[in-house]
Amino acid sequence: MTTLNGLPCEAVKRLLIVLLLLSLAAAMPARAAIAIQEVKASSGIKAWLVEDYAVPIITVSFAFRGGSTQDPSDKEGAINLMSRLFDEGAGDLDSNAFQQRLDDAGAEMRFDARRDAVYGRMRVLANQKDDAFALLRLAIEQPRFDQAAMDRVRAQIVSRITAKEKDPETAAQIAWMKAIYGDHPYSRPSKGTVQSLAAITASDLKALHTRLFARGNLAIAVAGAIDVGALKRDLDQIFSGLPAEPSLVPVAETAPKLGQEIRIQHDLPQDRLRLAYPGISRKDPQFFAAYMMNHILGGGAFTSRLWNEVREKRGLAYGIESRLENNDHASALVIGTRTRPDRAAETLSLILAEVRRMAEEGVGEEELEAAKKNVIGRYAIDNLDSSSVIADTLIAIQMQDQGIDYIERQKQLIQAVTVENVRSAARRLLSADPAVMIVGPPLEGRKG
């Protein structure tokens, strides 16, 4: 049956639901403070909850520790493939039946495999949560991994991998991770290769699911129109059937291999430059000093030193940024930009000079105070402006092993950072000889 503009009836229904959710989300104001409750169900399962009845939507975000680092060494991409199959049939429902029930419940469900965890999220209208949560329970507890669905999804992933084989960005990313992380699991392709994906069986996925999906490595955050009592019951319904503890393969701590230059020659209209310096753990006492230092160096977008020197003053690039990368087992400070090949050497020299200036001179008092206002002001906009974003923020905080008071506490920690704290962190991180990757035509005329 078709209807409006020839679209299938179900497509129209799905479109209307999406439009409703988008319009409701857009109506939610950004907020400066939220009340987070820790909820413990009778099974012992815990979740962080933010009650919000502004719109009748519930978002459940969750994560299981152990992402693509848990891939068997000869079957890279298995965790990613597994995560793509949770809405392709579970329990007594095959792929078509599961998708139909998900449509009927008006729910959105997605899974995403990253290096250190498998993330999941469901959004649903509050008055349809029971049907939706029953499907979520089936998906995480009894996935089917039917051969037809598995072959179809695997073919989609292989098609994307094949299409990107000649993409310079893809080649550069693979080379970069291999160069700075060597044989560590972080260097392996998380989406796999054509060869590794071909070797993965349904039995492999079932074994991975059994090892990873347990209550002991699970974090949950819920935001929206649901109270504590109802959530306790729903947590038991959705998650209590999982085994108590996972069986994860230990992953070694590592650090990026610095003091090397990686050159990848491609005939590109722009050179890609990437630099890596030592990183810093989120639990390190100097983390917030390093965070503010990075914000001033290149993390603050239009207000950063690198942006001002490279983009504004000289027009050498459309954009440039630095960022602190914090994985569970490695951290790094990474700088990246693109520039004209005939100005690449000049751009690289300018970046290195700005990094040296930060390491040697640090920052000024007014510069630091302006950065603090910018960081604190942006937090609510970037992390608390909708129920979905709130739920994802609470999951990120839990995965970083921060406390339930972190949102408020981090403001105080930022406010306490001094100019001397930033100088010390800058000397610590930016005095090292970096790893530098140049992707593009040969670099000529490089200085210093």
Side-chain angles (χ1 to χ4, degrees):
M1 179 181 178
T2 59
T3 178
L4 187 65
N5 293 330
L7 288 171
C9 184
E10 282 305 320
V12 172
K13 179 183 173 185
R14 190 177 303 181
L15 177 62
L16 291 173
I17 291 171
V18 170
L19 290 173
L20 172 62
L21 293 174
L22 288 174
S23 63
L24 291 173
M28 297 182 71
R31 61 207 79 186
I34 58 174
I36 307 170
Q37 307 172 75
E38 183 172 87
V39 177
K40 185 175 181 179
S42 60
S43 60
I45 295 170
K46 296 179 181 177
W48 289 3
L49 167 66
V50 172
E51 292 185 51
D52 187 340
Y53 300 95
V55 292
I57 298 174
I58 301 169
T59 300
V60 180
S61 290
F62 53 93
F64 294 93
R65 291 188 187 278
S68 62
T69 58
Q70 299 298 310
D71 278 337
S73 59
D74 58 343
K75 296 184 179 180
E76 293 90 350
I79 298 290
N80 177 61
L81 177 58
M82 179 184 74
S83 72
R84 296 279 305 278
L85 290 165
F86 286 119
D87 63 351
E88 293 283 354
D92 294 333
L93 305 174
D94 64 14
S95 179
N96 288 335
F98 191 92
Q99 293 286 345
Q100 184 62 56
R101 289 276 298 275
L102 203 57
D103 275 351
D104 292 344
E108 296 176 349
M109 184 169 72
R110 74 178 193 191
F111 288 82
D112 180 25
R114 303 178 200 170
R115 289 194 183 98
D116 296 312
V118 175
Y119 290 81
R121 188 167 78 176
M122 170 168 274
R123 284 207 313 167
V124 63
L125 294 171
N127 63 359
Q128 293 185 262
K129 73 176 179 63
D130 290 345
D131 290 341
F133 288 171
L135 291 169
L136 180 57
R137 180 191 65 79
L138 277 182
I140 65 172
E141 190 178 311
Q142 302 176 41
R144 290 167 60 106
F145 304 130
D146 288 338
Q147 193 64 46
M150 186 172 163
D151 289 344
R152 174 167 46 80
V153 173
R154 174 166 37 202
Q156 293 169 353
I157 298 171
V158 167
S159 176
R160 292 193 186 98
I161 291 173
T162 303
K164 289 187 173 181
E165 282 181 344
K166 296 181 180 179
D167 174 28
E169 294 284 358
T170 301
Q173 178 63 17
I174 292 171
W176 174 253
M177 297 302 288
K178 191 68 178 175
I180 65 172
Y181 288 124
D183 294 328
H184 192 274
Y186 283 160
S187 72
R188 302 191 311 220
S190 60
K191 289 184 171 50
T193 65
V194 174
Q195 293 74 24
S196 69
L197 285 165
I200 298 168
T201 67
S203 296
D204 294 326
L205 301 188
K206 290 175 182 174
L208 283 171
H209 172 256
T210 300
R211 287 205 295 113
L212 265 65
F213 276 46
R215 302 194 303 274
N217 62 330
L218 171 63
I220 308 168
V222 181
I226 186 169
D227 61 28
V228 171
L231 180 57
K232 286 182 178 179
R233 293 189 293 274
D234 290 331
L235 290 175
D236 280 338
Q237 179 202 353
I238 300 169
F239 299 105
S240 64
L242 293 170
E245 295 297 335
S247 178
L248 303 181
V249 175
V251 179
E253 300 299 307
T254 189
K257 300 180 189 303
L258 307 178
Q260 59 174 323
E261 189 165 286
I262 307 131
R263 290 176 179 262
I264 301 175
Q265 291 198 17
H266 276 288
D267 185 16
L268 298 171
Q270 287 189 316
D271 274 12
R272 277 74 162 165
L273 305 179
R274 192 180 302 183
L275 300 86
Y277 288 85
I280 186 167
S281 166
R282 288 184 177 275
K283 295 181 180 178
D284 191 292
Q286 283 191 303
F287 176 78
F288 282 98
Y291 187 88
M292 297 312 302
M293 179 275 292
N294 175 68
H295 184 84
I296 294 168
L297 176 66
F302 306 133
T303 61
S304 75
R305 289 185 181 182
L306 288 174
W307 177 273
N308 189 46
E309 294 296 330
V310 174
R311 171 72 176 84
E312 288 299 301
K313 288 185 179 178
R314 297 170 179 82
L316 293 172
Y318 289 113
I320 183 169
E321 68 163 2
S322 66
R323 62 184 182 276
L324 292 175
E325 293 185 348
N326 289 100
N327 297 303
D328 281 2
H329 306 286
S331 298
L333 188 154
V334 177
I335 300 171
T337 190
R338 301 180 184 185
T339 187
R340 286 168 42 182
D342 64 331
R343 306 291 297 274
E346 177 186 357
T347 303
L348 180 57
S349 294
L350 190 59
I351 293 170
L352 293 171
E354 279 303 309
V355 170
R356 278 198 300 271
R357 183 165 78 91
M358 177 66 84
E360 294 169 359
E361 302 174 10
V363 301
E365 194 72 53
E366 290 185 6
E367 195 176 25
L368 177 58
E369 289 306 311
K372 288 179 182 178
K373 290 179 182 176
N374 185 274
V375 168
I376 292 172
R378 286 189 59 83
Y379 190 86
I381 297 172
D382 293 343
N383 297 281
L384 307 174
D385 70 343
S386 72
S387 62
S388 296
V389 175
I390 289 172
D392 289 348
T393 297
L394 299 189
I395 279 295
I397 294 172
Q398 291 182 66
M399 297 301 281
Q400 295 161 11
D401 291 328
Q402 306 288 350
I404 198 168
D405 62 342
Y406 176 76
I407 292 177
E408 191 58 35
R409 185 164 45 85
Q410 57 111 14
K411 293 180 189 174
Q412 301 166 6
L413 292 169
I414 290 171
Q415 291 288 14
V417 173
T418 67
V419 165
E420 186 50 46
N421 295 152
V422 174
R423 286 175 181 162
S424 177
R427 285 194 297 269
R428 173 180 166 184
L429 299 188
L430 302 180
S431 298
D433 187 16
V436 179
M437 183 171 73
I438 303 150
V439 185
L443 199 65
E444 296 179 0
R446 173 178 170 180
K447 299 177 182 177

